[in-house]
Amino acid sequence: DISRVAEVESQIKQMGYVTNSMESIRKPMEKEAQEKQMMLGGLGAISLLVAALGITNTMIMSISERTREIGIMKALGCKIDDIRTLFLLEAGSIGLIGGFAAIATSLLISSILNVVQSKKTLESVEQLMQILTTPGSRMSVIPLWLIGFSLVFSVFIGLFSGFHPANKAVRIPALEAIKSE
């Protein structure tokens, strides 16, 4: 049984015999893969932080440019929750657009990797589609659940990043906001 390879190998070594198995190769490869995942995860976390700060900055600038508009909405009797919702929808939309852009970029890079990995000369669109749809020939596969999760996550990041600026917008006094230019 493959799950007992390490145990059997150690028993053979205790008997004084020299043994080699794929288990001794697998462990260093697993460790290397984990290190690469940690490095890529760190880069992803930094990218996520930069994106969140970018959305927050965009929303703060939007609020400062639209202060008079906020004051007019308040003077006309618009509910504070509606103003907050307006800015949160804007932040969520920014996150959604960013998510779509990231997914499109990922699918394009994945397709390029699969075509390059196939080492075939492309002569037609049918041949390209065959390379991209044949299950065993693809090096890079992006599952549908990951695409859905990344869209939801990007909207969540947009909403999270826009929460503070939206609360800042509703705290602006109406009279002060109308006077601003």
Short mmCIF file of all heavy atoms in Angstrom, two decimals, residues 11 36 45 51 57 65 76 114 135 149 171-172:
data_model
loop_
_atom_site.label_atom_id
_atom_site.label_comp_id
_atom_site.label_asym_id
_atom_site.label_seq_id
_atom_site.Cartn_x
_atom_site.Cartn_y
_atom_site.Cartn_z
N GLN A 11 11.81 0.22 7.87
CA GLN A 11 12.04 -1.14 8.38
C GLN A 11 13.16 -1.83 7.59
O GLN A 11 14.00 -2.52 8.18
CB GLN A 11 10.75 -1.97 8.30
CG GLN A 11 9.70 -1.57 9.30
CD GLN A 11 8.40 -2.33 9.12
OE1 GLN A 11 8.25 -3.11 8.17
NE2 GLN A 11 7.45 -2.09 10.02
N LYS A 36 6.95 27.83 -2.06
CA LYS A 36 6.49 28.64 -3.19
C LYS A 36 5.09 29.16 -2.95
O LYS A 36 4.78 30.31 -3.26
CB LYS A 36 6.54 27.83 -4.48
CG LYS A 36 7.94 27.62 -5.00
CD LYS A 36 7.94 26.82 -6.28
CE LYS A 36 9.36 26.57 -6.76
NZ LYS A 36 9.40 25.76 -7.98
N ALA A 45 -1.22 38.72 -0.75
CA ALA A 45 -1.68 39.53 0.38
C ALA A 45 -1.26 40.99 0.22
O ALA A 45 -2.04 41.90 0.49
CB ALA A 45 -1.13 38.96 1.69
N ALA A 51 -4.66 47.00 -3.29
CA ALA A 51 -5.96 47.21 -3.94
C ALA A 51 -6.96 47.83 -2.97
O ALA A 51 -7.70 48.75 -3.34
CB ALA A 51 -6.49 45.89 -4.48
N ASN A 57 -8.75 55.10 -1.10
CA ASN A 57 -8.31 56.41 -1.58
C ASN A 57 -9.28 56.96 -2.63
O ASN A 57 -9.64 58.14 -2.59
CB ASN A 57 -6.90 56.30 -2.17
CG ASN A 57 -6.38 57.63 -2.64
OD1 ASN A 57 -6.51 58.64 -1.96
ND2 ASN A 57 -5.79 57.64 -3.82
N GLU A 65 -14.79 65.33 -3.49
CA GLU A 65 -15.23 66.04 -4.69
C GLU A 65 -16.74 66.21 -4.73
O GLU A 65 -17.23 67.12 -5.39
CB GLU A 65 -14.77 65.27 -5.93
CG GLU A 65 -13.27 65.32 -6.15
CD GLU A 65 -12.81 64.42 -7.29
OE1 GLU A 65 -13.67 63.74 -7.90
OE2 GLU A 65 -11.60 64.40 -7.56
N LEU A 76 -32.36 67.85 1.00
CA LEU A 76 -33.60 67.42 0.36
C LEU A 76 -34.29 66.29 1.11
O LEU A 76 -35.36 65.84 0.72
CB LEU A 76 -33.33 66.99 -1.09
CG LEU A 76 -32.93 68.12 -2.04
CD1 LEU A 76 -32.56 67.55 -3.41
CD2 LEU A 76 -34.06 69.13 -2.16
N ASN A 114 -1.02 27.23 -21.24
CA ASN A 114 -1.43 25.94 -21.80
C ASN A 114 -0.99 25.78 -23.25
O ASN A 114 -0.57 24.70 -23.65
CB ASN A 114 -2.95 25.77 -21.69
CG ASN A 114 -3.38 25.53 -20.26
OD1 ASN A 114 -2.64 24.98 -19.46
ND2 ASN A 114 -4.58 25.96 -19.93
N PRO A 135 -8.77 17.72 -21.39
CA PRO A 135 -8.44 17.67 -19.95
C PRO A 135 -7.00 17.30 -19.62
O PRO A 135 -6.40 17.92 -18.78
CB PRO A 135 -9.41 16.61 -19.41
CG PRO A 135 -10.53 16.58 -20.39
CD PRO A 135 -9.92 16.92 -21.71
N PHE A 149 -15.74 32.55 -6.43
CA PHE A 149 -15.23 33.01 -5.14
C PHE A 149 -14.47 34.32 -5.28
O PHE A 149 -14.62 35.22 -4.46
CB PHE A 149 -14.33 31.94 -4.50
CG PHE A 149 -13.67 32.39 -3.23
CD1 PHE A 149 -14.38 32.43 -2.05
CD2 PHE A 149 -12.34 32.79 -3.23
CE1 PHE A 149 -13.79 32.86 -0.88
CE2 PHE A 149 -11.73 33.23 -2.07
CZ PHE A 149 -12.46 33.25 -0.88
N ARG A 171 -21.31 61.67 7.95
CA ARG A 171 -21.06 62.54 9.11
C ARG A 171 -20.86 64.00 8.73
O ARG A 171 -20.74 64.85 9.61
CB ARG A 171 -19.86 62.03 9.90
CG ARG A 171 -20.14 60.77 10.70
CD ARG A 171 -19.04 60.49 11.71
NE ARG A 171 -17.74 60.32 11.07
CZ ARG A 171 -17.19 59.15 10.79
NH1 ARG A 171 -17.81 58.04 11.09
NH2 ARG A 171 -15.99 59.09 10.24
N ILE A 172 -20.80 64.31 7.45
CA ILE A 172 -20.61 65.69 7.01
C ILE A 172 -21.92 66.46 7.27
O ILE A 172 -22.97 66.04 6.78
CB ILE A 172 -20.25 65.75 5.51
CG1 ILE A 172 -18.94 65.01 5.24
CG2 ILE A 172 -20.16 67.19 5.03
CD1 ILE A 172 -18.61 64.84 3.77
#
